[in-house]
Amino acid sequence: MDHLTDKQLLNILAQPTLDRDLTDHVAGCESCAQRLQSLKEPWDVLGQWAVDSPDIDLTNRIMSKVQADAPIFLQQPRALIRIAASIIIGVGVGSWLGQTTAHPVSDQQVTEAMYLDVLTLNSSTGWTSPLLEEGQE
Amino acid sequence: MSGPICSEPWGGKGVLLVIKYGMTTWRLKSDEQLVLEVGKGRTQALAELVRRHQQRALHLAFRSVGDWHLAEDVVQEAFLRVNRAAPQYRPDAKFSTWFYRIVVNLCMDELRKLQRRAKLSDDALAGDVSSEGNPQHAQEVKELQQAVYEALDQLSERERLAVILHRFEGHSHGQITDIMDASVSAIESLLVRAYRKLRQGLAAFSDKSTNKSQESGKTVV
């Protein structure tokens, strides 16, 4: 007669009525019955250990931790969008203003440029040309 | 609620329906679908996973480490790890197996840290409803539970967790092998060895338990 394996004995523990053949074998085999009993005794005693859990809900605690551990840009996406928008708008407006706003040149700046031109014959502005022509006349 | 939409009679109801529909939608999704959503950054999916699995995980952790506060820390860390690893999650792996593997590994880490496992506090010991008004029976129940905890304490971390998964969580051998990342034969040997060790530690209570089972016709789980 083939005795029951440990796996079969453990299966009987968990589901005693699942396999009639196994239980019938145990009923007729003293060795298997003793082996099963050695497992069943602690199994039954363990069953007395009921766990009456306190009213615990970890949802808020876990979600708070997830939020806290997230990178800053994930924690406040709306703020990030506002900051990005502000930068884009600021750069865009500034660029537009820089291109469209005229900067009048003062008389002093013109005089200074002419003095600089006189120092060199190759004037980039061409302003000294009339003076030189007047001198030649 | 206020605003142009909600000021209409149907507006407020519509918003509530949208919120309720959203919550219901999460509840209709499978665990695996929820993890994929978590991987995309949808935190409500993680909240739904917590709602579904926290109690069972807490019981598992408590039976392993013997302290509710420690069990809460273990379960919290397990869900945080789920959140971090969700982008890499593959749906071919069953979520419950993956999650309980994380919980079991965290429990084993805690058990190794505990140099000397404390006795179960009175708060941790369950109050048997049937012992109300019967102090002697209540005391017997507490002694039994303490003995069970101490007997489990004599097992190795793997033996202990295998027994908890098998006896209290109702996992099959195949599920336990997946959770504990071991072969079927290894788990079966582990369980048999563990039960035989427990038999020695709980011998004094075996007869009482047998008599009570025969009287009541059922076993308390």
Side-chain angles (χ1 to χ4, degrees), chain A residues 5-11 13-14 34-63 65-67 69, chain B residues 43 46-47 50 54-55 58-59 62-63 68 72-73 75-76 79-80 83 126 144-145 148-149 152 163 166-168 173 188 191-192 195-196 198-199 202 205-206 209 219-221:
Chain A
T5 63
D6 289 337
K7 177 179 179 178
Q8 288 171 319
L9 292 174
L10 290 170
N11 285 340
L13 278 183
Q34 286 180 352
R35 288 169 58 214
L36 180 62
Q37 187 62 19
S38 71
L39 299 174
K40 193 172 183 305
E41 286 174 1
W43 175 273
D44 289 340
V45 176
L46 289 173
Q48 300 296 323
W49 188 21
V51 172
D52 188 17
S53 60
D55 190 17
I56 299 172
D57 185 356
L58 298 176
T59 309
N60 289 338
R61 177 174 155 180
I62 290 169
M63 301 314 292
K65 196 74 170 77
V66 167
Q67 188 73 8
D69 290 348
Chain B
T43 53
L46 182 65
V50 173
Q54 62 170 333
Q55 286 304 319
L58 278 167
H59 284 183
F62 172 73
R63 289 188 195 275
W68 281 114
E72 288 176 30
D73 292 343
V75 173
Q76 175 183 291
F79 279 112
L80 292 178
N83 184 57
L144 172 71
Q145 291 174 348
V148 166
Y149 187 77
L152 285 171
V163 167
H166 187 245
R167 179 62 181 96
F168 299 106
H173 300 167
E188 289 166 1
L191 285 171
V192 169
Y195 283 122
R196 290 196 174 132
L198 289 169
R199 187 191 184 200
L202 299 173
F205 295 91
S206 293
S209 173
T219 303
V220 174
V221 178

Side-chain angles (χ1 to χ4, degrees), chain B residues 173-204:
Chain B
H173 300 167
Q175 289 170 329
I176 297 174
T177 58
D178 289 336
I179 291 170
M180 296 187 66
D181 196 21
S183 66
V184 173
S185 58
I187 291 298
E188 289 166 1
S189 300
L190 207 66
L191 285 171
V192 169
R193 195 164 59 241
Y195 283 122
R196 290 196 174 132
K197 285 184 186 177
L198 289 169
R199 187 191 184 200
Q200 294 175 358
L202 299 173

Side-chain angles (χ1 to χ4, degrees), chain B residues 48-68:
Chain B
E48 177 62 20
L49 283 171
V50 173
R51 190 189 67 81
R52 290 182 190 182
H53 294 279
Q54 62 170 333
Q55 286 304 319
R56 200 169 173 194
L58 278 167
H59 284 183
L60 169 59
F62 172 73
R63 289 188 195 275
S64 302
V65 300
D67 180 82
W68 281 114

Side-chain angles (χ1 to χ4, degrees), chain B residues 37 53 61 70 81 104 106 167 184-185:
Chain B
E37 295 292 337
H53 294 279
L70 208 50
R81 291 192 182 191
V104 163
L106 287 169
R167 179 62 181 96
V184 173
S185 58

Side-chain angles (χ1 to χ4, degrees), chain A residues 63 66-81, chain B residues 38-43 83 87:
Chain A
M63 301 314 292
V66 167
Q67 188 73 8
D69 290 348
I72 187 70
F73 65 88
L74 286 179
Q75 288 185 33
Q76 299 177 348
R78 290 184 181 177
L80 176 68
I81 291 171
Chain B
V38 172
K40 294 173 187 174
R42 300 200 173 107
T43 53
N83 184 57

